[in-house]
Amino acid sequence: MKQAIKLYGKIKSNQIILIALLGILVACFVGGINTYYGRSITNIGSDEGLGGLLLAIMLLASGASVYTDQTRHLNTWLSTQNVSRRQIFLSKLLWMVIGPILFSNIIDFGMSLASQTHNLSKVLDSNLDDSLEGLFLVSLVVLVSIILGPIWPKVIGSIFVLIVSSSIFELGANYIVFDATNVIDNKLITCFGILILLSISYYIVGTIGVESEHEIVRIPVLKWPIVVFVFLSTFVFNINENAFNLNSFILPVVLGLITFIFVFKPKLSWQK
C-alpha cells in the first residue's frame, strides 16, 4: 500500500501542486475582495467557515485530474505495476480527495485566524459539516465513475446522480424535523453513508479490470438496474418539483429510453 501511495503521488505530483496553488490563489482572491469591501462577501475566513466554495473548486480540479488518468491510459499502466487495483483506488482517494479537503480546511482556518475571528469553534464545526457533505457527494461520484466506463458517461452520470440525490434529500427533509439535539446523529449518518459508498466502490474496483473501461456499464448485471434507476429517480424528481400528472411520466420515459439505447446498444434494422 505504501508503494502505491508513493507511486501515484510521484506521478501526479505536478497536478497535486497545481491544485494546491489553485486553492491558495482562490483564497487570496476572496480574501482580497473581503478586505477591499470591508466585510465577508463569501464564507471563506469567516465565522460560517468554508461555505463549500473553496472545497468545491479544489475537488472539481481533482476530479478533472483523475479523469485525465484514463485519457493518458495511466490506469492501464498502473495495473502492470506491483500494486493492486484496490491499492490504486485508495491512493487516488488519499491524494485527490482527502488531501484537497484537508488543505482547503487548513486554508480556511488560517484565514480565520488572520482575520481575528473570535468564534473559531464555529468555523471548525462548519468546516466539518462542509467536509462531510463534500465527501459524501464525492463518494457518490466515485461509485458512478467506477461503474461507468468512458469519460462522458462518467461526467453525465455523476451530474445526474448529484441532481437527483439533492432532490431526494430535499424531499426527505420536508418530512424530517431537524433540531440541535440530533446534529451529532446527522453527522454519524453521513459518515455511515460515506463508508457504505466507499466500501461498495472498493469492492467493485477489485472485481473489474481495465479492459472494461470502454464499456458504458462495466458490470453487465447492473445494466437493467441503471435503466430502472434513471426512470424512477427522474420520476421522483419530477413529482418533487411539480404536481403529479400525466406529464410527470414524459421526462422519465424519454431519459429511460435514451439510457436503454446507450447501455444496451440495440441493433435496429428495417427489412424492405
Side-chain angles (χ1 to χ4, degrees), residues 5 18 28 36 63 82 94 103 121 149 162 176 180 182 199-200 235 252:
I5 294 175
L18 287 175
C28 291
Y36 179 80
N82 191 25
L94 177 64
F103 190 66
S121 61
L162 291 177
I176 301 175
N182 61 4
S199 297
I200 295 173
F235 179 72

Side-chain angles (χ1 to χ4, degrees), residues 83-104:
V83 291
S84 67
R85 289 191 293 270
R86 286 174 175 168
Q87 289 176 337
I88 297 172
F89 169 75
L90 293 177
S91 300
K92 290 183 178 183
L93 193 66
L94 177 64
W95 283 112
M96 311 308 291
V97 178
I98 304 299
I101 289 177
L102 291 177
F103 190 66
S104 61

Side-chain angles (χ1 to χ4, degrees), residues 16-228:
I16 292 172
I17 293 174
L18 287 175
I19 292 170
L21 290 176
L22 175 64
I24 294 174
L25 290 175
V26 171
C28 291
F29 175 75
V30 173
I33 292 179
N34 290 348
T35 302
Y36 179 80
Y37 286 98
R39 60 191 180 91
S40 180
I41 303 300
T42 70
N43 289 331
I44 296 181
S46 67
D47 283 348
E48 289 77 16
L50 194 61
L53 174 62
L54 183 58
L55 181 66
I57 291 175
M58 294 187 68
L59 288 178
L60 284 174
S62 295
S65 176
V66 172
Y67 282 152
T68 61
D69 292 349
Q70 190 167 335
T71 60
R72 296 165 54 198
H73 304 289
L74 181 58
N75 293 333
T76 304
W77 180 82
L78 286 172
S79 65
T80 65
Q81 305 304 301
N82 191 25
V83 291
S84 67
R85 289 191 293 270
R86 286 174 175 168
Q87 289 176 337
I88 297 172
F89 169 75
L90 293 177
S91 300
K92 290 183 178 183
L93 193 66
L94 177 64
W95 283 112
M96 311 308 291
V97 178
I98 304 299
I101 289 177
L102 291 177
F103 190 66
S104 61
N105 278 272
I106 292 173
I107 291 177
D108 183 67
F109 189 71
M111 293 185 68
S112 299
L113 288 175
S115 61
Q116 297 180 349
T117 302
H118 298 291
N119 197 353
L120 293 179
S121 61
K122 186 177 180 181
V123 174
L124 290 174
D125 186 66
S126 179
N127 283 344
L128 178 60
D129 288 336
D130 292 329
S131 298
L132 288 176
E133 181 180 351
L135 187 54
F136 181 81
L137 296 177
V138 168
S139 300
L140 284 173
V141 173
V142 168
L143 181 58
V144 171
S145 298
I146 290 175
I147 294 175
L148 302 180
I151 293 179
W152 67 266
K154 293 180 187 290
V155 175
I156 296 176
S158 298
I159 295 174
F160 177 81
V161 168
L162 291 177
I163 293 175
V164 170
S165 61
S166 299
S167 177
I168 293 176
F169 293 152
E170 181 182 349
L171 181 63
N174 294 332
Y175 299 96
I176 301 175
V177 178
F178 296 97
D179 52 42
T181 61
N182 61 4
V183 171
I184 296 179
D185 292 338
N186 295 335
K187 291 179 180 179
L188 290 176
I189 292 173
T190 303
C191 290
F192 188 64
I194 292 170
L195 289 176
I196 291 178
L197 291 172
L198 292 181
S199 297
I200 295 173
S201 298
Y202 180 80
Y203 172 77
I204 293 176
V205 164
T207 61
I208 58 177
V210 294
E211 65 277 358
S212 62
E213 283 188 349
H214 300 292
E215 296 292 332
I216 297 294
V217 179
R218 303 178 68 180
I219 306 175
V221 72
L222 293 181
K223 288 185 177 182
W224 269 113
I226 287 176
V227 175
V228 174

